[in-house]
Amino acid sequence: MPDAFVLLALLVATLRAATPLLLAGFGELVAERSGVLNLGVEGMMLVGAAAGFIATAATGQPLLGLLVAALAGMLMALLFGLLTLTLGANQVACGLALTIFGIGLSALIGLPWQGTPIAGLASVIWPGLDAAGPVAQQLMLLDPVLWLALLLPALVGAFLYRSRAGLILRAVGESHEAAHALGYGVLRVRYAAVLFGGAMAGLGGAYLSLVYTPMWTENMVAGRGWIALALVVFSAWKPGWLALGALFFGFVTIAQFQAGAFGLEVSPHLLSMLPYLATVVVLVLISRDETRRKLNAPAALGKPFTAAG
């Protein structure tokens, strides 16, 4: 029984650690499949984390906080869309600027709430969480946002490869000139994809501040937005590989906290670096097939579009 419980606890902890990456990663995957490269995922996650936490702390309603976080991420994405899709600004430069802006904005609006703890989403949904048995307590930590994240590979895969809307989105990402010639609204499709990516990034950030560690601390996303971007590219824009990469990151994140239990005396700074280092190494190994990655990359990724072509 103890061994089974340890495995269950490790599985639940891995899923919780992977959830922000699944949310942000699949949002960016959809955006990039439409031909838009948004490097502002980190900034959108931070603004979503701060906005969702403030809304929850002010109202006591974490579900409202999640909604506010998604809207905050969409507003950040809308700003990116206005600059890159409407005004034709460089997507790479605007994405980096969006991240810098998000870091500063989240620090500013979250300053009065720094270090303030709140009741997490699981505690609100299950009021008896603290009094539940150890196994039931672990199962009750599987909150609705986590289930949404676990369903995203299937949902996004079905959308991209089994629906007419997904086919249009991929067509826009492959050749916006051809899609425009066929009468599809390229900018409309890309705006929808970018806004979806922003909403998912905002939810991913809010999961950190409302569920994973229910409090606000400055820069608490801690590079997960960049890992999500790396997952999208190194997974060759395939939902299955992206999901596996996010779960691997979650597992290594949890494994670092178990080093002490096995008597390993390792610097805590090295352990905190381990999830990022291990994820990048594994993704590089996965992506060694350069031909496969190039064949799967959207042909129009990062390229500006005008009605004239």
Side-chain angles (χ1 to χ4, degrees), residues 9-22 212 224 227 231 242-258 275-276 278-279:
L10 180 62
L11 174 61
V12 172
T14 297
L15 294 177
R16 283 163 56 87
T19 294
L21 285 180
L22 288 169
Y212 196 63
R224 288 176 174 84
I227 292 292
L231 286 171
L242 174 56
L244 288 176
L247 291 172
F248 175 78
F249 178 89
F251 174 76
V252 178
T253 300
I254 297 306
Q256 67 171 309
F257 299 115
Q258 306 301 320
Y276 304 93
T279 302

Side-chain angles (χ1 to χ4, degrees), residues 10-283:
L10 180 62
L11 174 61
V12 172
T14 297
L15 294 177
R16 283 163 56 87
T19 294
L21 285 180
L22 288 169
L23 293 168
F26 276 100
E28 179 64 15
L29 173 66
V30 171
E32 292 194 14
R33 276 292 192 172
S34 74
V36 180
L37 177 61
N38 185 356
L39 298 182
V41 177
E42 181 88 359
M44 294 187 295
M45 290 183 73
L46 277 167
V47 171
F53 181 87
I54 293 170
T56 301
T59 65
Q61 301 293 329
L63 294 178
L64 177 61
L66 291 172
L67 176 61
V68 170
L71 291 175
M74 290 179 71
L75 286 175
M76 292 283 286
L78 178 62
L79 174 61
F80 174 83
L82 289 172
L83 292 172
T84 59
L85 300 180
T86 301
L87 300 179
N90 182 275
Q91 294 181 12
V92 173
C94 288
L96 294 174
L98 191 69
T99 286
I100 297 171
F101 175 66
I103 292 172
L105 179 61
S106 63
L108 176 64
I109 65 177
L111 185 60
W113 307 91
Q114 181 78 15
T116 303
I118 59 172
L121 178 63
S123 299
V124 173
I125 295 176
W126 307 104
L129 180 63
D130 295 335
V135 174
Q137 193 175 58
Q138 290 297 319
L139 294 175
M140 291 162 74
L141 288 173
L142 300 175
D143 56 87
V145 182
L146 187 152
W147 284 111
L148 170 63
L150 292 180
L151 289 173
L152 275 177
L155 294 176
V156 171
F159 168 75
L160 289 175
Y161 303 110
R162 303 284 183 178
S163 71
R164 182 174 182 272
L167 177 61
I168 293 173
L169 182 139
R170 288 190 292 123
V172 168
E174 292 298 328
S175 175
H176 46 230
E177 295 95 343
H180 176 68
L182 290 172
Y184 298 122
V186 173
L187 292 183
R188 184 172 64 249
V189 170
R190 288 185 170 174
Y191 260 110
V194 167
L195 291 176
F196 174 77
M200 290 296 101
L203 278 179
Y207 191 85
L208 291 168
S209 62
L210 300 182
V211 184
Y212 196 63
T213 53
M215 67 168 57
W216 165 252
T217 55
E218 186 176 334
N219 202 26
M220 67 183 305
V221 174
R224 288 176 174 84
W226 298 110
I227 292 292
L229 282 163
L231 286 171
V232 173
V233 176
F234 290 125
S235 66
W237 294 268
K238 296 294 185 180
W241 284 110
L242 174 56
L244 288 176
L247 291 172
F248 175 78
F249 178 89
F251 174 76
V252 178
T253 300
I254 297 306
Q256 67 171 309
F257 299 115
Q258 306 301 320
F262 293 98
L264 300 177
E265 296 184 2
V266 185
S267 168
H269 301 292
L270 179 61
L271 289 175
S272 64
M273 181 181 69
L274 183 62
Y276 304 93
L277 178 62
T279 302
V280 170
V281 169
V282 170
L283 290 174

